[in-house]
Amino acid sequence: MDTFSNEDHDIEKYDRADALKVFDETKTGVKGLVDAGVTKIPRIFIRPPDELVEELNCSKVDLQIPVIDLTGSDIGDRRKEIVEQIRVASETWGFFQVINHEIPKSLLDETIDCIRMFHEQENEIKMKLYSRDRMHKVRFDSNLDLYRSRAANWRDTLTLSMFISDDLDPEEVPAVCRETMLEYIKHVTKFGGTLLELLSEALGLRPDHLQNLECCHGRTFVGQYYPPCPEPELTLGASKHTDPSFLTLLLQDHIGGLQVRYHDQWADVPPLTGGLVVNIGDLLQIASNDKFKSVDHRVLANHKGPRVSTVCFFTGVAVPPKIYGPIKELTLKSDGNPPVYKDFLKMVCLPETPMTPITQWTEDDKRKVVKARAAICNALPYDLLSLNLLINQIRKMDTFSNEDHDIEKYDRADALKVFDETKTAANWRDSLTLAMFISDDLDPEEVPAVCRHDHIGGLQVRYHDQWADVPPLTGSLVVNIGDLLQIASNDKFKSVDHRVLANHNGPRVSAVCFFTGVAVPPKIYGPIKELTLKSDGNPPVYKDFLVSEYMNNFFTRPIDKSGLDYFKL
Ligand code: OGA
Ligand code: NI
């Protein structure tokens, strides 16, 4: 019976990773499935059983998020009233709708239409934009967190990112929605400024306080498309999440489905003609020192549809790095309001983390993860995982409470996992790492007392498409140029592929020291100016970057790319 039961087991076993890949490779998203006529949703979209059971016990409140009429918001007493309504809404719901705002209704309608048109155009154009690379300014994808979420969401997304830099080449914006989206972006950016003034006042600050923090600068615009779903009770349009932003402005069409968490229940956010939904993101909850709330929300899947929405995340400045944290005026000890969060940089960085599988982490490993996360926060917008992490990881967590919970989430978000998945084969070696990447002080007691010369050999260096041995030489040290010096030298010096053969003899032991430059506080590196004089015919070959950016890219790059490729101009 052995073979039989094995077989049975295999049939039972369902390869989720494989199914995700097949879906991803269609590059046509959820709409592609609907176009193909599916009548049952593929298993990758089905929510885990515990969630489906919980849903049965979950009640709905009839309460609705506040609707705030902005008419007269620049007139004395009326402004006070509006500011007060915004304060109450931001402290309780974290969400409100605004009407009679400054954006013309015709533009709102055109924006929804053009997002629908983008998603409903020929697949060919969309497929060309299909990408999971968050560095692409304009991209189409379905489920950016596809490989890490518990269940895929029933929606497709067009992203226009002005997260890293403010300039978006109009030519890069898809033609069907170019003119309208650029117009909408202009209006929404201005309106975001107006709202930040009102929110500053609602916090008891000067009207320009949040604007001066450049909260409006990094922006990501997202055009969501939720196709009609044949089995909406089994999946979601968007899983519950908080937003990785200071402020989010959402425009939805007439279908409905957005829900907001309120006292352990879900409340509908009904579509309101000419209205815009405003919500507080994680970064403003932090800046306000927990006065304003970044609240869980989600989108139901629906038989009806498609549903279309446009979301604008105001994410603050990431490059050059800027320090954010609780606003000093709101954390006066004398008022009994000590800061609840640490300061942090909003930048992209891979934290120092244990390389062992999560199930084998020691207490000390866990502590390191939390520390690294807290020190450098991974706040890329629109990564549902990092955004859930944001608050948990930055909140002062010197003692490792909530551990399982946070570690679970951390694991899924962990860039290292992506790295592991992209590797085709593991190497026959173990490593001892002594890291002074983040800070220069290493407790001598932490360092094992071993450093010895080794004679086994096996190191090879690439030379003109061949491998050359690097034979052990008593008393010698091997020196090699790394990627960062190749970049600094503007390709004059070479950072060269090398590898280590496995060996019958052994063990082989080596000690490697990487000089990686300054990561914290962030420092900008790039081709050295003296070496890139145009007059000498040596224009720079690489862009400038932060070491953390380089490392982040290095550890998450596709297997066929070098650490240098991304920074090539
Ligand atoms: C989001 C979001 C809601 C919607 O994109 O973060 O919450 O209605 N979207 O599309
Ligand atoms: Ni959201």
Side-chain angles (χ1 to χ4, degrees), residues 457-469:
L459 176 60
Q460 296 191 321
V461 175
R462 199 76 178 166
Y463 187 72
H464 295 309
D465 287 335
Q466 292 179 298
W467 289 106
D469 287 330

Side-chain angles (χ1 to χ4, degrees), residues 95 155 157 222-226 238-239 241-244 248 250-253 256-259 277 279 297-299 307-313 382 384 387:
F95 266 80
R155 81 168 168 195
T157 304
V222 167
Q224 308 286 24
Y225 187 87
Y226 301 85
S239 304
H241 66 278
T242 58
D243 284 351
T248 304
L250 174 125
L251 167 65
Q252 60 172 336
D253 71 4
L258 175 61
Q259 296 189 318
V277 179
N279 68 287
H297 51 287
R298 66 177 189 179
V299 180
R307 171 179 184 269
V308 175
S309 70
T310 314
V311 191
C312 171
F313 302 97
Y382 228 70
L384 296 189
L387 70 91

Side-chain angles (χ1 to χ4, degrees), residues 293-309:
K293 304 289 181 231
S294 173
V295 170
D296 270 333
H297 51 287
R298 66 177 189 179
V299 180
L300 299 179
N302 202 324
H303 277 297
K304 283 187 297 186
R307 171 179 184 269
V308 175
S309 70

Side-chain angles (χ1 to χ4, degrees), residues 186-201:
K186 212 165 70 193
H187 276 80
V188 145
T189 301
K190 182 159 170 290
F191 183 49
T194 306
L195 283 169
L196 285 175
E197 281 179 11
L198 292 165
L199 287 160
S200 300
E201 289 176 49

Side-chain angles (χ1 to χ4, degrees), residues 350 373 378 410-411 413-420 552 555-556:
L350 185 77
R373 273 284 170 176
N378 185 352
Y410 181 77
D411 180 35
D414 195 350
L416 286 174
K417 191 143 176 231
V418 179
F419 177 53
D420 286 343
N552 191 21
F555 286 110
T556 57

